[in-house]
Amino acid sequence: MEDNPWFPAARYGLFIHYGLYSLLERGEWVWNREEIPSAEYTALADRFTAEHFDAGSLCDMAVRWGMRYVVLTTMHHEGFRLYDTELSDFCTTKTASKRDLVDELVAAARQRGLKVGLYHSLNNWHDKPDAVDALEDRAAYDIFIENTFARLRELLTRFQPVDMLWYDGWWPFNADGWQAERMNAMVRGIQPRIMVNGRNGLPGDFATPEGHMGAPRPWRPWEACMTLNNSWGFHAGDLAWKTPRQVVELLAGAAQGCGNLLLNVGLRANGRAPEAAVGCLDEVGNWLRRGGAEAVFGTERFSFDLEERSDQRAGNRGDFNHHGLLTTKQSNLYWLLLRWPGTAFSLGGLRCRVTRAVLLGENSREIDFQQEGSRVSLRG
């Protein structure tokens, strides 16, 4: 991470899923799961106008929400590119929208000081030969792999510098099948400072747990990718939106484990973010501005393993507190009270002397406390 110190400190990023699947409003795997005929699905490109896709507005929202970076799906498994390419006509610049959406997003992010990640699926259901063909025939495999390398080469030559390449769609091959060593060497030959994730079969520069929080053991830079409801691509019937408190809890978990939360919003077909997503993330952004940012950004790993406390035999777990999560920064301990315990409460297990207690917020104030051994009693 010497070349990318921004990543372990970033904490919070915006993941954007957008593609032809957005028109059908049934998630990003709709072509595959519903076995839609290829001609019927590819014809969606003639309707994909992206008339309200506004990269500047999306990046402004990311800044307002307290995010430090943005990752866009340049091409999902469907094979439709959101950028200009010489390798295919199946792209935004040669179909209805006539725009390079990736170029617009990269430029807008740079203007606002956001780091930029490019998601790109290694798998591709549109181009032939595809991965299934490659499994069955050596000649088809060679063509498929070279086509994959050509796409990555073009993408990273066209958009540089960017901060991150976010591989996905790694099946049906392992690292050997993807020729991952050669792939990463090619990527770094084009952009030496770029970060890559571990989804081409190699560990990469950072771990990407999906759908759950948790620092890898032993610790290495990590980023949990989560979606704001239960769908990555926009799904009109998925109303299971996370609450602002749930998002704060995810952020606190990332901060406690010195990792990042990459939170996904699937855009509507017209390019706008769903209203429910905007409302939720506006509230989280307000919480960060009111004082939450201090407990989330710049946090450090604890100097001891929280799950291996010397008093484990007594049933105590240092990684768990029934009121909320704990983060640290220098000599400060932050207690994110996700379940307000009332005006009088205690924290046990401290092996240090407490000198000051502060209730953070718009009107931060010191609060009374009393310490007896390892127990600190507070009055808020």
Side-chain angles (χ1 to χ4, degrees):
M1 288 290 108
E2 292 82 4
D3 289 338
N4 293 288
W6 70 269
F7 183 79
R11 289 293 175 270
Y12 198 20
L14 176 62
F15 207 174
I16 299 173
H17 272 64
Y18 193 40
L20 296 185
Y21 46 84
S22 306
L23 283 162
L24 298 182
E25 300 185 337
R26 299 195 295 277
E28 74 287 354
W29 275 70
V30 60
W31 184 2
N32 177 279
R33 290 296 185 252
E34 297 186 13
E35 298 185 354
I36 299 172
S38 179
E40 179 182 335
Y41 191 86
T42 56
L44 294 172
D46 296 325
R47 293 170 43 202
F48 190 76
T49 59
E51 64 269 28
H52 294 302
F53 179 89
D54 185 334
S57 177
L58 290 168
C59 290
D60 284 340
M61 285 192 290
V63 171
R64 187 171 79 229
W65 295 337
M67 294 167 170
R68 305 294 176 85
Y69 64 112
V70 58
V71 178
L72 174 67
T73 53
T74 66
M75 186 197 83
H76 208 268
H77 316 324
E78 64 182 2
F80 184 65
R81 286 76 149 172
L82 302 188
Y83 57 94
D84 190 28
T85 174
E86 297 177 2
L87 304 176
S88 175
D89 291 336
F90 197 48
C91 65
T92 50
T93 58
K94 299 173 185 176
T95 53
S97 76
K98 306 296 184 190
R99 295 165 61 188
D100 189 321
L101 305 183
V102 176
D103 185 62
E104 293 175 22
L105 193 286
V106 170
R110 286 174 178 158
Q111 289 169 2
R112 290 153 179 81
L114 294 166
K115 298 295 184 180
V116 184
L118 303 182
Y119 167 110
H120 196 81
S121 176
L122 300 175
N123 224 311
N124 181 340
W125 299 330
H126 177 267
D127 295 359
K128 299 298 180 182
D130 62 16
V132 174
D133 299 325
L135 280 174
E136 299 173 349
D137 181 80
R138 178 66 198 196
Y141 167 81
D142 289 341
I143 296 171
F144 173 78
I145 289 296
E146 287 312 308
N147 287 345
T148 302
F149 273 63
R151 286 199 318 273
L152 291 169
R153 186 181 301 113
E154 181 188 56
L155 182 73
L156 295 174
T157 301
R158 187 175 297 276
F159 303 107
Q160 61 172 309
V162 293
D163 302 287
M164 178 192 300
L165 176 62
W166 218 97
Y167 297 124
D168 198 23
W170 61 92
W171 62 91
F173 302 118
N174 57 16
D176 290 337
W178 285 116
Q179 300 182 30
E181 292 278 4
R182 182 168 77 94
M183 181 181 289
N184 286 352
M186 180 194 72
V187 166
R188 292 196 171 100
I190 300 169
Q191 298 201 35
R193 295 175 63 88
I194 199 170
M195 299 177 62
V196 297
N197 69 1
R199 296 196 175 198
N200 67 352
L202 293 177
D205 298 310
F206 59 99
T208 57
E210 181 174 325
H212 66 278
M213 305 298 297
R217 289 172 177 254
W219 187 92
R220 60 191 295 252
W222 64 281
E223 164 196 82
C225 54
M226 310 283 288
T227 191
L228 199 55
N229 53 6
N230 293 319
S231 304
W232 296 93
F234 179 72
H235 194 306
D238 186 353
L239 304 179
W241 299 103
K242 290 179 175 60
T243 65
R245 199 200 76 162
Q246 288 174 311
V247 175
V248 167
E249 190 161 6
L250 293 173
L251 261 178
Q256 187 177 64
C258 281
N260 298 339
L261 170 64
L262 181 63
L263 190 61
N264 178 72
V265 174
L267 301 184
R268 295 181 181 275
N270 62 14
R272 285 180 172 154
E275 296 79 0
V278 174
C280 171
L281 297 180
D282 273 344
E283 287 197 40
V284 176
N286 289 336
W287 174 81
L288 287 168
R289 283 188 292 275
R290 289 196 304 268
E294 184 175 334
V296 167
F297 295 106
T299 55
E300 303 162 356
R301 283 188 291 148
F302 288 101
S303 60
F304 58 94
D305 191 322
L306 289 170
E307 291 187 353
E308 296 181 3
R309 289 263 305 274
S310 60
D311 55 356
Q312 188 88 357
R313 63 186 182 277
N316 295 328
R317 282 186 53 183
D319 68 324
F320 169 77
N321 187 280
H322 60 293
H323 298 317
L325 298 174
L326 301 167
T327 64
T328 61
K329 185 192 305 178
Q330 298 175 351
S331 61
N332 296 323
L333 177 68
Y334 299 94
W335 193 6
L336 291 97
L337 296 168
L338 299 164
R339 291 161 288 277
W340 184 247
T343 56
F345 49 97
S346 300
L347 178 63
L350 292 176
R351 300 291 188 268
C352 60
R353 186 174 68 87
V354 177
T355 59
R356 185 168 175 250
V358 177
L359 185 65
L360 293 176
E362 287 181 313
N363 300 305
S364 295
R365 58 186 174 84
E366 292 199 23
I367 59 175
D368 294 333
F369 72 93
Q370 182 177 356
Q371 183 170 8
E372 297 180 4
S374 64
R375 180 174 185 253
V376 175
S377 299
L378 304 108
R379 289 190 175 275

